[in-house]
Amino acid sequence: MKNIQVPSKIPSCHSIKNLILVSCFICIIYFLYPIILAPNYTNSLHTSVSSQEHDLSSPTTLQHVVFGIASNEKSWSKRKELVKLWYKSNEMKGCVFLEKMPNSSTNDSLLLPPICISEDISRFPYTNKGGNPSAIRVARVVSETVALNHSNVRWFVFGDDDTIFFPENLVKTLSKYDHGLWYYIGSNSESFIQNKFFSFEMAFGGAGFAISYPLAKVLAKVFDSCIERYPHLYGSDGRIHACLTELGVTLTHEPGFHQMDFHGNVFGLLAAHSIRPLVSLHHMEIIDPIFPNMTRMKALEHLYQAASFDPQRILQQTVCYDRRFSWTVSVSWGYAVQVFAHNVFLPDAQRVQESYFPWKKNAYGTLYEYNTRKFESDPCKKQIVYFLDNVSSSMDEIKTIYKKKTTSENCTFGKNSPRKLEEIRVFSHKLDLDTNQLLAPRRHCCDVLPSTSGKVMEMGIRECKEDELIYMHK
């Protein structure tokens, strides 16, 4: 028998084993390449969080927020009273930034954020003829707040010393966002011409704005280089916006932040607030007291007292239609109740009344970023307004009482006029919005309740039924 020759091109068992090993090694490298060889790519994605725990299972609290408040040595002695209204030193972290330590020392440090002295800004150019170089110092509050290196941070929140925050609502608003993503959250001015001049995509600094932790860390690294490219800009918020734009980030609009670019009486805006939690109010030092016959500070304390009972419902507008008399009743919870002696379509009742003076006195000054209607100044034609008198709670029910401001009116009215009403009582339950309600809010309904007194109207606020309409009855 002849010997059978094995062809040389057929690999041996040893060669096959080596081939399998090489193949396995290639597969491992293929799947591990993005992790082992390309960390810079994966870490550059704005969805990553480096040194902070990206924990979505635990709710966001004030302990996760760091505040950076911009002030100066001259204004701080007066405006710190506004900060006392909302700052909770035992729950909050952050700093108020001054260019130097104030001359006078007081014993209220436990009621206020600690003072941080801003770094020198003389190396940065500033060429805007209508502005002030201090805008650079205020802008750098962002990077200097990040440099405080607080632990367990999810959000950085910035505002001016005359910005008042509603902390529970701030946290509730931020909680609907993933703090591990790159977020820049705030609002525009109410004034069209202000937005036109500065930017519709800029968060106005007076209203306050929030930046998520991972975005703030990156912004702080590159911020000084951005400042050098924008010496011509007017303010601090413009510089922050410019640098975030270079990072490819756009503004997430939240209507609960309020720049309050007005003069005078801001009743119209407060009485028709968006159905979003009230987060902030600015310019409280220059507008009229928000409650009649009170000082500015007493009026704000009065509002905060109501907010302490039900922070998420404060200023939330609810509209009722009284079938019997064809009255329209608009409740701005914790602030005021308006009673119109006639039917008002719901879309019209939600329009902001122009009770204030425009920020700029020019042809475009009266153009605003929302629907408005004229404020009736004739006392014989205007609706009757009842302002908050007191708040109380029993069990799980909250009662707010609103009373009419005493005026001397020489008017003639019919028998069905609401002018005989002296007091409005509103009953409600504490509002606790979940994430779905925050993302897709729905206005609450209300009922005019039977009352034993002709001088008192009682109302109840509740969630609307699934197919319930809020409409006037003919």
Side-chain angles (χ1 to χ4, degrees):
M1 181 181 290
K2 295 182 178 179
N3 291 330
I4 299 175
Q5 300 292 324
V6 178
S8 60
K9 64 179 180 180
I10 296 178
S12 65
C13 292
H14 181 72
S15 300
I16 292 174
K17 181 188 263 187
N18 289 339
L19 182 61
I20 292 173
L21 289 174
V22 171
S23 299
C24 291
F25 178 75
I26 292 173
C27 290
I28 291 171
I29 292 298
Y30 176 80
F31 286 110
L32 293 182
Y33 176 80
I35 298 172
I36 298 174
L37 300 181
N40 291 333
Y41 173 75
T42 55
N43 289 340
S44 69
L45 294 176
H46 69 280
T47 56
S48 66
V49 182
S50 54
S51 62
Q52 295 291 312
E53 183 182 5
H54 186 192
D55 181 11
L56 294 177
S57 61
S58 64
T60 295
T61 68
L62 282 173
Q63 298 289 339
H64 297 116
V65 179
V66 176
F67 290 88
I69 306 302
S71 183
N72 61 73
E73 185 263 339
K74 289 184 179 180
S75 70
W76 179 238
S77 60
K78 183 178 181 180
R79 291 183 175 179
K80 66 182 180 181
E81 299 303 317
L82 291 171
V83 178
K84 287 180 186 178
L85 289 170
W86 61 269
Y87 191 79
K88 302 177 181 180
S89 57
N90 59 327
E91 297 181 53
M92 298 180 181
K93 297 177 285 193
C95 246
V96 55
F97 286 83
L98 308 178
E99 78 281 18
K100 63 179 181 177
M101 288 297 292
N103 293 325
S104 59
S105 60
T106 57
N107 296 322
D108 51 11
S109 58
L110 295 178
L111 304 175
L112 293 164
I115 292 176
C116 291
I117 304 304
S118 301
E119 296 176 5
D120 178 51
I121 59 165
S122 59
R123 69 184 187 277
F124 297 104
Y126 186 88
T127 60
N128 189 293
K129 294 181 180 179
N132 191 309
S134 64
I136 296 174
R137 181 184 71 83
V138 173
R140 294 191 80 255
V141 166
V142 171
S143 54
E144 292 179 22
T145 301
V146 174
L148 296 175
N149 203 28
H150 285 287
S151 60
N152 196 26
V153 180
R154 296 183 180 181
W155 297 95
F156 291 93
V157 174
F158 304 96
D160 291 348
D161 53 4
D162 62 340
T163 304
I164 59 173
F165 289 99
F166 292 79
E168 293 85 354
N169 293 346
L170 170 66
V171 168
K172 178 64 72 168
T173 298
L174 296 179
S175 68
K176 69 182 180 180
Y177 298 102
D178 183 344
H179 56 271
L181 304 181
W182 282 17
Y183 274 113
Y184 166 47
I185 299 172
S187 70
N188 298 137
S189 170
E190 296 80 6
S191 168
F192 168 82
I193 196 62
Q194 287 284 94
N195 296 329
K196 180 70 174 176
F197 184 80
F198 292 107
S199 175
F200 288 90
E201 290 301 314
M202 182 187 83
F204 276 62
F209 58 93
I211 300 179
S212 59
Y213 174 85
L215 175 58
K217 292 291 285 187
V218 174
L219 177 63
K221 290 179 182 178
V222 300
F223 196 49
D224 284 353
S225 67
C226 292
I227 289 178
E228 292 175 353
R229 284 189 290 279
Y230 295 95
H232 61 285
L233 293 181
Y234 173 81
S236 59
D237 40 17
R239 287 166 167 78
I240 296 163
H241 167 246
C243 197
L244 287 168
T245 300
E246 290 189 358
L247 284 171
V249 179
T250 58
L251 177 65
T252 297
H253 294 259
E254 268 295 341
F257 293 83
H258 295 282
Q259 174 69 10
M260 303 295 283
D261 279 343
F262 306 110
H263 294 285
N265 179 10
V266 296
F267 167 82
L269 182 73
L270 301 184
H273 191 270
S274 159
I275 53 170
R276 300 293 200 287
L278 171 64
V279 175
S280 70
L281 296 170
H282 184 220
H283 284 147
M284 291 293 99
E285 197 179 52
I286 64 173
I287 64 174
D288 293 348
I290 61 175
F291 287 101
N293 306 320
M294 291 186 184
T295 65
R296 286 188 179 92
M297 286 302 300
K298 287 295 182 184
L300 291 173
E301 289 171 1
H302 196 45
L303 186 69
Y304 271 96
Q305 182 187 22
S308 69
F309 282 84
D310 196 350
Q312 293 176 50
R313 198 183 290 279
I314 194 73
L315 296 191
Q316 293 296 290
Q317 185 190 26
T318 309
V319 178
C320 274
Y321 292 98
D322 187 297
R323 291 174 179 265
R324 188 172 49 161
F325 298 116
S326 296
W327 295 342
T328 301
V329 186
S330 174
V331 180
S332 176
W333 192 92
Y335 177 57
V337 175
Q338 303 171 79
V339 182
F340 298 83
H342 55 276
N343 280 325
V344 179
F345 284 108
L346 184 59
D348 294 328
Q350 293 174 20
R351 291 176 180 268
V352 174
Q353 299 169 73
E354 295 182 22
S355 59
Y356 39 76
F357 298 109
W359 186 251
K360 298 291 184 181
K361 296 180 180 180
N362 54 39
Y364 301 100
T366 56
L367 297 179
Y368 300 103
E369 290 298 323
Y370 44 75
N371 295 322
T372 65
R373 59 188 173 97
K374 295 300 180 183
F375 184 66
E376 181 58 68
S377 58
D378 186 340
C380 297
K381 295 180 180 179
K382 69 188 298 184
Q383 74 277 19
I384 311 150
V385 180
Y386 303 78
F387 286 97
L388 177 73
D389 184 69
N390 65 75
V391 189
S392 60
S393 63
S394 177
M395 301 296 287
D396 62 342
E397 186 175 66
I398 300 173
K399 179 172 75 172
T400 47
I401 296 178
Y402 307 79
K403 292 187 177 181
K404 183 167 50 176
K405 182 178 72 171
T406 303
T407 56
S408 55
E409 299 172 350
N410 187 19
C411 308
T412 302
F413 304 105
K415 62 178 182 178
N416 289 337
S417 171
R419 307 252 162 195
K420 62 185 178 182
L421 294 173
E422 295 180 357
E423 183 177 299
I424 311 290
R425 300 171 185 168
V426 178
F427 301 89
S428 60
H429 297 280
K430 189 172 182 179
L431 190 60
D432 187 12
L433 301 170
D434 60 29
T435 301
N436 290 334
Q437 292 169 319
L438 288 166
L439 292 171
R442 185 187 182 191
R443 193 177 303 277
H444 276 197
C445 289
C446 60
D447 305 297
V448 176
L449 305 174
S451 178
T452 57
S453 171
K455 295 183 178 181
V456 175
M457 173 186 282
E458 295 188 336
M459 303 170 60
I461 297 178
R462 57 175 174 79
E463 288 189 18
C464 298
K465 300 172 184 176
E466 183 177 359
D467 59 350
E468 185 173 3
L469 300 173
I470 305 172
Y471 67 100
M472 59 189 192
H473 308 276
K474 296 183 180 180

